[in-house]
Every structure is written in structure tokens, then in C-alpha cells.
mmCIF file of all heavy atoms in Angstrom:
data_model
loop_
_atom_site.group_PDB
_atom_site.id
_atom_site.type_symbol
_atom_site.label_atom_id
_atom_site.label_comp_id
_atom_site.label_asym_id
_atom_site.label_seq_id
_atom_site.Cartn_x
_atom_site.Cartn_y
_atom_site.Cartn_z
ATOM 1 N N GLY A 12 -1.941 9.932 -9.317
ATOM 2 C CA GLY A 12 -1.855 11.121 -10.145
ATOM 3 C C GLY A 12 -0.436 11.616 -10.300
ATOM 4 O O GLY A 12 -0.208 12.757 -10.690
ATOM 5 N N GLY A 13 0.519 10.762 -9.991
ATOM 6 C CA GLY A 13 1.929 11.139 -10.094
ATOM 7 C C GLY A 13 2.805 10.159 -9.347
ATOM 8 O O GLY A 13 3.048 9.043 -9.798
ATOM 9 N N TYR A 14 3.251 10.577 -8.186
ATOM 10 C CA TYR A 14 4.176 9.773 -7.400
ATOM 11 C C TYR A 14 3.480 9.308 -6.120
ATOM 12 O O TYR A 14 3.072 10.131 -5.299
ATOM 13 C CB TYR A 14 5.423 10.584 -7.056
ATOM 14 C CG TYR A 14 6.072 11.205 -8.278
ATOM 15 C CD1 TYR A 14 6.378 12.564 -8.306
ATOM 16 C CD2 TYR A 14 6.363 10.434 -9.408
ATOM 17 C CE1 TYR A 14 6.978 13.141 -9.422
ATOM 18 C CE2 TYR A 14 6.955 11.000 -10.527
ATOM 19 C CZ TYR A 14 7.257 12.361 -10.529
ATOM 20 O OH TYR A 14 7.847 12.915 -11.629
ATOM 21 N N PRO A 15 3.343 8.000 -5.896
ATOM 22 C CA PRO A 15 2.521 7.510 -4.775
ATOM 23 C C PRO A 15 3.146 7.712 -3.403
ATOM 24 O O PRO A 15 2.433 7.859 -2.418
ATOM 25 C CB PRO A 15 2.355 6.022 -5.096
ATOM 26 C CG PRO A 15 3.518 5.678 -5.977
ATOM 27 C CD PRO A 15 3.803 6.906 -6.780
ATOM 28 N N GLY A 16 4.474 7.698 -3.285
ATOM 29 C CA GLY A 16 5.098 7.871 -1.971
ATOM 30 C C GLY A 16 4.623 6.828 -0.969
ATOM 31 O O GLY A 16 4.443 5.658 -1.303
ATOM 32 N N ARG A 17 4.336 7.281 0.273
ATOM 33 C CA ARG A 17 4.001 6.341 1.355
ATOM 34 C C ARG A 17 2.685 5.601 1.137
ATOM 35 O O ARG A 17 2.394 4.617 1.824
ATOM 36 C CB ARG A 17 3.935 7.094 2.691
ATOM 37 C CG ARG A 17 5.256 7.296 3.351
ATOM 38 C CD ARG A 17 5.814 6.009 3.989
ATOM 39 N NE ARG A 17 5.202 5.762 5.288
ATOM 40 C CZ ARG A 17 4.316 4.831 5.546
ATOM 41 N NH1 ARG A 17 3.902 4.027 4.577
ATOM 42 N NH2 ARG A 17 3.812 4.675 6.761
ATOM 43 N N SER A 18 1.876 6.025 0.177
ATOM 44 C CA SER A 18 0.593 5.348 -0.024
ATOM 45 C C SER A 18 0.753 3.986 -0.689
ATOM 46 O O SER A 18 -0.188 3.200 -0.720
ATOM 47 C CB SER A 18 -0.347 6.225 -0.851
ATOM 48 O OG SER A 18 0.098 6.329 -2.198
ATOM 49 N N LEU A 19 1.932 3.704 -1.239
ATOM 50 C CA LEU A 19 2.185 2.397 -1.852
ATOM 51 C C LEU A 19 3.196 1.657 -0.980
ATOM 52 O O LEU A 19 4.378 1.998 -0.958
ATOM 53 C CB LEU A 19 2.704 2.542 -3.280
ATOM 54 C CG LEU A 19 2.531 1.340 -4.211
ATOM 55 C CD1 LEU A 19 2.832 1.720 -5.660
ATOM 56 C CD2 LEU A 19 3.386 0.148 -3.812
ATOM 57 N N GLU A 20 2.717 0.675 -0.239
ATOM 58 C CA GLU A 20 3.551 -0.105 0.681
ATOM 59 C C GLU A 20 3.584 -1.564 0.236
ATOM 60 O O GLU A 20 2.610 -2.075 -0.327
ATOM 61 C CB GLU A 20 2.988 -0.056 2.105
ATOM 62 C CG GLU A 20 2.837 1.331 2.683
ATOM 63 C CD GLU A 20 2.131 1.320 4.038
ATOM 64 O OE1 GLU A 20 1.561 0.267 4.414
ATOM 65 O OE2 GLU A 20 2.152 2.358 4.710
ATOM 66 N N ILE A 21 4.697 -2.224 0.528
ATOM 67 C CA ILE A 21 4.832 -3.658 0.248
ATOM 68 C C ILE A 21 5.338 -4.323 1.521
ATOM 69 O O ILE A 21 6.460 -4.055 1.977
ATOM 70 C CB ILE A 21 5.793 -3.915 -0.921
ATOM 71 C CG1 ILE A 21 5.321 -3.162 -2.179
ATOM 72 C CG2 ILE A 21 5.904 -5.417 -1.202
ATOM 73 C CD1 ILE A 21 6.303 -3.209 -3.335
ATOM 74 N N HIS A 22 4.498 -5.175 2.115
ATOM 75 C CA HIS A 22 4.799 -5.824 3.382
ATOM 76 C C HIS A 22 5.077 -7.311 3.177
ATOM 77 O O HIS A 22 4.806 -7.876 2.108
ATOM 78 C CB HIS A 22 3.624 -5.666 4.348
ATOM 79 C CG HIS A 22 3.378 -4.256 4.782
ATOM 80 N ND1 HIS A 22 3.647 -3.810 6.052
ATOM 81 C CD2 HIS A 22 2.877 -3.189 4.105
ATOM 82 C CE1 HIS A 22 3.317 -2.530 6.144
ATOM 83 N NE2 HIS A 22 2.843 -2.128 4.968
ATOM 84 N N LEU A 23 5.575 -7.948 4.217
ATOM 85 C CA LEU A 23 5.681 -9.397 4.216
ATOM 86 C C LEU A 23 4.285 -10.008 4.129
ATOM 87 O O LEU A 23 3.287 -9.375 4.501
ATOM 88 C CB LEU A 23 6.383 -9.886 5.480
ATOM 89 C CG LEU A 23 7.794 -9.359 5.759
ATOM 90 C CD1 LEU A 23 8.362 -10.026 7.011
ATOM 91 C CD2 LEU A 23 8.721 -9.569 4.577
ATOM 92 N N LYS A 24 4.237 -11.231 3.666
ATOM 93 C CA LYS A 24 2.956 -11.916 3.509
ATOM 94 C C LYS A 24 2.198 -11.928 4.838
ATOM 95 O O LYS A 24 2.742 -12.260 5.889
ATOM 96 C CB LYS A 24 3.203 -13.340 3.020
ATOM 97 C CG LYS A 24 1.954 -14.162 2.735
ATOM 98 C CD LYS A 24 2.333 -15.522 2.186
ATOM 99 C CE LYS A 24 1.111 -16.389 1.916
ATOM 100 N NZ LYS A 24 1.478 -17.711 1.345
ATOM 101 N N ASN A 25 0.950 -11.519 4.767
ATOM 102 C CA ASN A 25 -0.007 -11.531 5.877
ATOM 103 C C ASN A 25 0.245 -10.464 6.937
ATOM 104 O O ASN A 25 -0.364 -10.494 8.004
ATOM 105 C CB ASN A 25 -0.116 -12.919 6.524
ATOM 106 C CG ASN A 25 -0.704 -13.935 5.563
ATOM 107 O OD1 ASN A 25 -1.431 -13.562 4.636
ATOM 108 N ND2 ASN A 25 -0.389 -15.203 5.761
ATOM 109 N N GLN A 26 1.120 -9.498 6.646
ATOM 110 C CA GLN A 26 1.228 -8.325 7.511
ATOM 111 C C GLN A 26 0.317 -7.238 6.952
ATOM 112 O O GLN A 26 0.443 -6.839 5.792
ATOM 113 C CB GLN A 26 2.669 -7.811 7.586
ATOM 114 C CG GLN A 26 3.553 -8.596 8.534
ATOM 115 C CD GLN A 26 3.241 -8.305 10.002
ATOM 116 O OE1 GLN A 26 2.296 -7.603 10.330
ATOM 117 N NE2 GLN A 26 4.031 -8.875 10.888
ATOM 118 N N ALA A 27 -0.608 -6.764 7.762
ATOM 119 C CA ALA A 27 -1.537 -5.727 7.315
ATOM 120 C C ALA A 27 -0.791 -4.431 7.039
ATOM 121 O O ALA A 27 0.192 -4.112 7.714
ATOM 122 C CB ALA A 27 -2.614 -5.497 8.368
ATOM 123 N N PRO A 28 -1.232 -3.664 6.042
ATOM 124 C CA PRO A 28 -0.580 -2.382 5.760
ATOM 125 C C PRO A 28 -0.891 -1.350 6.840
ATOM 126 O O PRO A 28 -1.781 -1.546 7.670
ATOM 127 C CB PRO A 28 -1.181 -1.972 4.411
ATOM 128 C CG PRO A 28 -2.524 -2.631 4.388
ATOM 129 C CD PRO A 28 -2.350 -3.932 5.123
ATOM 130 N N THR A 29 -0.179 -0.238 6.814
ATOM 131 C CA THR A 29 -0.449 0.843 7.750
ATOM 132 C C THR A 29 -1.634 1.664 7.248
ATOM 133 O O THR A 29 -2.143 1.471 6.145
ATOM 134 C CB THR A 29 0.770 1.771 7.921
ATOM 135 O OG1 THR A 29 0.884 2.626 6.771
ATOM 136 C CG2 THR A 29 2.055 0.979 8.087
ATOM 137 N N SER A 30 -2.045 2.632 8.047
ATOM 138 C CA SER A 30 -3.179 3.482 7.691
ATOM 139 C C SER A 30 -2.872 4.372 6.493
ATOM 140 O O SER A 30 -3.799 4.944 5.891
ATOM 141 C CB SER A 30 -3.577 4.347 8.891
ATOM 142 O OG SER A 30 -2.479 5.143 9.315
ATOM 143 N N LYS A 31 -1.622 4.512 6.119
ATOM 144 C CA LYS A 31 -1.254 5.361 4.981
ATOM 145 C C LYS A 31 -1.378 4.640 3.641
ATOM 146 O O LYS A 31 -1.287 5.268 2.586
ATOM 147 C CB LYS A 31 0.181 5.870 5.153
ATOM 148 C CG LYS A 31 0.355 6.832 6.307
ATOM 149 C CD LYS A 31 1.734 7.444 6.304
ATOM 150 C CE LYS A 31 1.853 8.524 7.359
ATOM 151 N NZ LYS A 31 3.175 9.189 7.325
ATOM 152 N N PHE A 32 -1.567 3.340 3.669
ATOM 153 C CA PHE A 32 -1.655 2.542 2.448
ATOM 154 C C PHE A 32 -2.952 2.834 1.705
ATOM 155 O O PHE A 32 -4.032 2.908 2.318
ATOM 156 C CB PHE A 32 -1.564 1.058 2.808
ATOM 157 C CG PHE A 32 -1.732 0.121 1.643
ATOM 158 C CD1 PHE A 32 -0.754 0.028 0.664
ATOM 159 C CD2 PHE A 32 -2.861 -0.676 1.527
ATOM 160 C CE1 PHE A 32 -0.890 -0.853 -0.406
ATOM 161 C CE2 PHE A 32 -3.009 -1.560 0.464
ATOM 162 C CZ PHE A 32 -2.023 -1.640 -0.508
ATOM 163 N N ASP A 33 -2.858 2.984 0.381
ATOM 164 C CA ASP A 33 -4.028 3.184 -0.467
ATOM 165 C C ASP A 33 -4.534 1.808 -0.896
ATOM 166 O O ASP A 33 -3.916 1.136 -1.723
ATOM 167 C CB ASP A 33 -3.641 4.028 -1.687
ATOM 168 C CG ASP A 33 -4.847 4.413 -2.535
ATOM 169 O OD1 ASP A 33 -5.898 3.751 -2.416
ATOM 170 O OD2 ASP A 33 -4.718 5.368 -3.331
ATOM 171 N N SER A 34 -5.666 1.374 -0.334
ATOM 172 C CA SER A 34 -6.164 0.013 -0.555
ATOM 173 C C SER A 34 -6.591 -0.233 -1.994
ATOM 174 O O SER A 34 -6.818 -1.385 -2.383
ATOM 175 C CB SER A 34 -7.332 -0.271 0.391
ATOM 176 O OG SER A 34 -8.400 0.638 0.158
ATOM 177 N N ARG A 35 -6.700 0.799 -2.812
ATOM 178 C CA ARG A 35 -7.083 0.600 -4.209
ATOM 179 C C ARG A 35 -6.047 -0.224 -4.977
ATOM 180 O O ARG A 35 -6.379 -0.841 -5.993
ATOM 181 C CB ARG A 35 -7.281 1.951 -4.903
ATOM 182 C CG ARG A 35 -8.468 2.752 -4.380
ATOM 183 C CD ARG A 35 -8.562 4.079 -5.116
ATOM 184 N NE ARG A 35 -7.378 4.902 -4.887
ATOM 185 C CZ ARG A 35 -7.085 6.003 -5.598
ATOM 186 N NH1 ARG A 35 -7.907 6.389 -6.574
ATOM 187 N NH2 ARG A 35 -5.997 6.700 -5.330
ATOM 188 N N TYR A 36 -4.807 -0.255 -4.497
ATOM 189 C CA TYR A 36 -3.790 -1.045 -5.200
ATOM 190 C C TYR A 36 -4.169 -2.523 -5.238
ATOM 191 O O TYR A 36 -3.830 -3.239 -6.174
ATOM 192 C CB TYR A 36 -2.421 -0.866 -4.532
ATOM 193 C CG TYR A 36 -1.812 0.487 -4.800
ATOM 194 C CD1 TYR A 36 -1.763 1.455 -3.810
ATOM 195 C CD2 TYR A 36 -1.309 0.806 -6.045
ATOM 196 C CE1 TYR A 36 -1.229 2.701 -4.047
ATOM 197 C CE2 TYR A 36 -0.758 2.055 -6.307
ATOM 198 C CZ TYR A 36 -0.723 2.996 -5.304
ATOM 199 O OH TYR A 36 -0.196 4.231 -5.555
ATOM 200 N N LYS A 37 -4.865 -2.985 -4.203
ATOM 201 C CA LYS A 37 -5.205 -4.407 -4.127
ATOM 202 C C LYS A 37 -6.091 -4.848 -5.296
ATOM 203 O O LYS A 37 -6.029 -5.992 -5.724
ATOM 204 C CB LYS A 37 -5.910 -4.715 -2.806
ATOM 205 C CG LYS A 37 -4.996 -4.652 -1.595
ATOM 206 C CD LYS A 37 -5.717 -5.132 -0.346
ATOM 207 C CE LYS A 37 -4.784 -5.201 0.847
ATOM 208 N NZ LYS A 37 -5.453 -5.766 2.049
ATOM 209 N N SER A 38 -6.938 -3.955 -5.784
ATOM 210 C CA SER A 38 -7.873 -4.321 -6.846
ATOM 211 C C SER A 38 -7.390 -3.916 -8.227
ATOM 212 O O SER A 38 -8.151 -3.982 -9.190
ATOM 213 C CB SER A 38 -9.238 -3.690 -6.570
ATOM 214 O OG SER A 38 -9.132 -2.282 -6.467
ATOM 215 N N ASN A 39 -6.140 -3.487 -8.337
ATOM 216 C CA ASN A 39 -5.608 -3.060 -9.634
ATOM 217 C C ASN A 39 -4.461 -3.942 -10.114
ATOM 218 O O ASN A 39 -3.666 -3.536 -10.938
ATOM 219 C CB ASN A 39 -5.138 -1.605 -9.556
ATOM 220 C CG ASN A 39 -6.269 -0.625 -9.747
ATOM 221 O OD1 ASN A 39 -6.571 -0.218 -10.866
ATOM 222 N ND2 ASN A 39 -6.924 -0.269 -8.644
#
């Protein structure tokens, strides 16, 4: 709804995101 901030994370391959990551990005 604006600026994602910490909810949008980009990790190295096969590193799980933190609890702050919005998993909806994976399906978009």
C-alpha cells in the first residue's frame, strides 16, 4: 500500500527470510 520497508527482503539462494518478510511476494 506504499513503501514495503523491511517486509521486502532479498536473501542469498536457499536462505530463508526473516519473520518480517511478507511471503506474498513469492506468488507475485
Side-chain angles (χ1 to χ4, degrees):
Y14 307 129
R17 277 286 279 107
S18 70
L19 202 169
E20 303 174 348
I21 303 172
H22 294 251
L23 302 184
K24 183 177 179 179
N25 295 335
Q26 280 286 6
T29 76
S30 58
K31 293 188 173 183
F32 176 70
D33 187 340
S34 61
R35 293 179 298 167
Y36 287 107
K37 289 187 175 184
S38 58
N39 277 270

